[in-house]
Amino acid sequence: GELAVLLNPSFPFAFGLKGTLAVVRELGGTPRELATDVFYADWAPDGKMLAVVRGGTEGTTLEYPLGNVLYRSTGFVSDPRFSPSGDRIAFLDHPRPGDSGGMVMVVGKDGHAETWSQPFDDAFGVAWAPAGDEVMVGAALPRELAAIWATRKGRPLRLVYRGTGNLLIDDVARDGRMLARKRDWGQELV
């Protein structure tokens, strides 16, 4: 019955908003602040706690529960997503600050992290397959536009869908249907 929101957002770098994480009742009310310097958050399947990505001067951390560091990156972590069973969290580790290149990582509640993909030139958006055995990612290999790839520990990448532009996956339904969007970066000089 609560919605996680980001208050007072700022753009510390090109790939993310940073602000104060708060929760608010779904029907409205005053937000209750939980943590500062937050980039991303995802609800655990039971809807009681959040995994969060927080930034600092020495990179970013993935925390679950809040305050318990499961993973630390000298670059930045993005797109944390709980597995359907809630025992693991998939995310992207971008080892170079300010660079969208990264790889799919999976961490258990014990803090043991595993690499589930090769490094991509560009990667944003992850979602678990319904069975919890694959992680879908919107990512680009060298000299290609981002497509939707399926990753599994110790297995080669599997192409799921290639569109006409850079794709970012948002979610996968229990029946396997995917919600994805075309991602375009725009710049202009005035």
Side-chain angles (χ1 to χ4, degrees):
E2 289 185 311
L3 178 68
V5 296
L6 195 64
L7 304 176
N8 306 313
S10 65
F11 285 98
F13 58 94
F15 304 114
L17 290 171
K18 180 179 174 182
T20 300
L21 176 67
V23 292
V24 62
R25 299 289 306 159
E26 64 185 343
L27 298 176
T30 303
R32 181 172 46 93
E33 295 182 6
L34 300 178
T36 59
D37 300 322
V38 173
F39 286 96
Y40 296 90
D42 189 41
W43 287 105
D46 65 8
K48 294 180 182 175
M49 290 194 284
L50 289 155
V52 299
V53 174
R54 297 175 82 178
T57 57
E58 299 177 11
T60 59
T61 58
L62 173 63
E63 301 176 12
Y64 180 76
L66 192 61
N68 179 48
V69 175
L70 292 178
Y71 187 84
R72 184 179 307 276
S73 174
T74 56
F76 69 99
V77 171
S78 71
D79 303 287
R81 293 299 298 268
F82 275 96
S83 64
S85 62
D87 62 335
R88 296 170 292 165
I89 302 169
F91 61 95
L92 292 165
D93 183 11
H94 307 267
R96 295 178 304 274
D99 186 342
S100 65
M103 64 203 83
V104 176
M105 303 289 294
V106 174
V107 65
K109 291 181 182 179
D110 61 358
H112 176 72
E114 301 173 333
T115 303
W116 276 34
S117 78
Q118 65 194 55
F120 292 103
D121 280 5
D122 179 63
F124 281 103
V126 299
W128 285 88
D133 58 348
E134 291 184 314
V135 175
M136 308 297 174
V137 60
L141 295 173
R143 295 171 302 283
E144 292 184 6
L145 293 173
I148 305 296
W149 298 92
T151 66
R152 289 177 100 158
K153 182 183 177 193
R155 300 264 179 97
L157 292 174
R158 179 173 61 84
L159 179 64
V160 175
Y161 179 78
R162 184 180 306 279
T164 59
N166 285 313
L167 295 174
L168 186 148
I169 188 160
D170 287 308
D171 207 356
V172 177
R174 288 186 182 125
D175 65 6
R177 291 177 296 141
M178 294 183 297
L179 176 63
R181 58 189 150 122
K182 185 176 173 187
R183 177 174 56 95
D184 287 322
W185 295 101
Q187 295 180 345
E188 65 182 64
L189 180 64
V190 178

